[in-house]
Every structure is written in C-alpha cells, then in structure tokens.
Amino acid sequence: MLERHGMRVSTAASPEAAWVLLAGEPVDVILLDLNFARGRTTGEEGFAMLDRLIAGDARAVVIVVTGHSGIAVAVRAMRGGATDFVIKPWNNERLLTTVERGLALRRAKLETAATPRVPTASCSARVPASGAHET
C-alpha cells in the first residue's frame, strides 16, 4: 500500500536483519512492530529495539505498530522516543497519513541538523550608574 503512494519499502523479519538493513541504506521512517517472535505479546523486543534505534540516531522517526492497544503501551513508546503509533489492525488511510507525517518530520529534523547554528554570546555586566561607585 505504501509503495502505491511512491514510497520504497524494505522489511526485516528480525532485529538482527533490521540492523543489517539499517546499516546498508538510509531510512526515513521506521515502522516498528513491538513483537517479533510468534506468540510474544509483551512488546519487550520492540521496546529494546526502539531504545537502540533512538540511541543510534536521535533524529530517527519511529512509528510503533502494536496489536495490543493500551494507553500504557502508547505512552511508553512515546516516552521511549517513538514519533507515533499505529494499532493493528490498522486503517490504511490512517497508516498512510501517519507515515506521511513521519516523512515530513524526518525532513524537518534533517534540515534543522544541516542548518549551521549561529554562535551566540551571552554576557552580563554590572555597570554602575553615572557618578556612582561600587564598593
């Protein structure tokens, strides 16, 4: 579905495969399922991956995908650095909108990082009033 909207999609079936993929090509948005292994529902694998992704690139745009929708999961993901989350089964329009927002955010983060910061100096001095003396 994302490919029909002009996006290139790469997939990885495990955290190890994801790291190989991420090392080999730039990625603008990461859709991260919280549970990799069949039968797992805690999300711990996904949260560990989220931590590593954000530690490796603070500008990463990670959209968490979960089938275990709970406000606690969403809050934990957002606090962990996720940009947004999508609940399975998702609505295709919602997924597309979320990914498009993620792409815009990634572009903004990269532009901000590429813009040289103008150094600023800050100083304060205590200047006595005319004719007054400091003691």
Side-chain angles (χ1 to χ4, degrees), residues 2 7-12 14-15 18-19 21-23 25-34 36 46 49-65 81-86 95 98-103 105-106:
L2 296 173
M7 297 177 204
R8 194 178 65 152
V9 176
S10 300
T11 61
S14 69
W19 285 116
L21 184 113
L22 291 169
E25 61 185 75
V27 175
D28 292 315
V29 174
I30 299 165
L31 289 170
L32 175 64
D33 197 323
L34 290 181
F36 292 99
M49 184 78 170
L50 176 61
D51 290 343
R52 286 184 65 193
L53 288 166
I54 299 303
D57 181 2
R59 298 170 304 192
V61 173
V62 181
I63 299 169
V64 167
V65 179
T83 303
D84 208 337
F85 66 96
V86 175
L95 177 65
T98 302
V99 171
E100 286 173 337
R101 275 197 316 256
L103 287 168
L105 178 61
R106 177 67 172 178

Side-chain angles (χ1 to χ4, degrees), residues 55-114:
D57 181 2
R59 298 170 304 192
V61 173
V62 181
I63 299 169
V64 167
V65 179
T66 180
H68 302 279
S69 59
I71 204 72
V73 170
V75 168
R76 182 175 173 194
M78 300 299 274
R79 285 184 177 162
T83 303
D84 208 337
F85 66 96
V86 175
I87 299 168
K88 294 188 273 186
W90 60 72
N91 168 294
N92 283 345
E93 274 185 46
R94 163 104 166 90
L95 177 65
L96 179 62
T97 300
T98 302
V99 171
E100 286 173 337
R101 275 197 316 256
L103 287 168
L105 178 61
R106 177 67 172 178
R107 276 189 231 103
K109 286 182 173 190
L110 293 175
E111 287 172 8
T112 301

